[in-house]
Amino acid sequence: MTFNGKYEMESEKNYDELMNDAIEKGHNFKIVMEVQQDRQNFTWSQHYPGGHSMTNKFIIGKECDMETMGGKKFKATVQIKGGKLVADFPNYHQTSEIMGDKLVEISTIGGVTYEPVYKRLA
């Protein structure tokens, strides 16, 4: 399954519960997600209104340096399981999958699940 494409946030579930109003950076914004995939190599970018962008690059099965939208740096290994990208690290689990013309992410942090859905633009 290829993840290549550009996606715009269409909906989100549980943002307020997840963030407890601590971070407003991504809330109520039309975030544009751009994914470039070359076999096992990924470039995963998020573009926010006002010109701020964040990009993580990773290779499936290899530990890579990444950064959160809040600027925290961490290491993670992304796997592909059942056509989904899966990343596990302390206190955090994320899956990303293509469902039709949508990119669906599911993030679980401390028992709270956040689910943004992005519609394909290109």
Side-chain angles (χ1 to χ4, degrees), residues 8 42 61-62 66 79-80 90-91 93 96 105 107-108 111 117 122:
E8 181 180 58
F42 284 78
K62 297 193 182 216
M66 295 192 179
Q79 305 289 336
I80 294 182
N91 304 317
H93 173 82
S96 300
E105 293 187 323
S107 302
T108 304
V117 176

Side-chain angles (χ1 to χ4, degrees), residues 26-100:
H27 194 46
N28 294 324
F29 288 156
K30 287 293 185 181
I31 298 169
V32 174
M33 182 85 66
E34 189 169 359
V35 181
Q36 296 173 341
Q37 177 184 358
D38 180 15
R39 295 187 231 171
Q40 302 293 309
N41 300 298
F42 284 78
T43 300
W44 200 279
S45 301
Q46 292 179 323
H47 305 286
Y48 302 92
H52 177 73
S53 293
M54 178 190 71
T55 298
N56 284 306
K57 295 182 179 187
F58 57 91
I59 300 168
I60 299 299
K62 297 193 182 216
E63 185 176 73
C64 298
D65 293 317
M66 295 192 179
E67 185 175 351
T68 67
M69 105 176 133
K72 293 182 183 177
K73 297 187 186 296
F74 63 96
K75 292 188 180 290
T77 302
V78 180
Q79 305 289 336
I80 294 182
K81 296 179 183 175
K84 298 177 184 181
L85 295 177
V86 179
D88 283 303
F89 29 98
N91 304 317
Y92 188 84
H93 173 82
Q94 179 169 327
T95 63
S96 300
E97 68 178 308
I98 302 297
M99 298 178 76

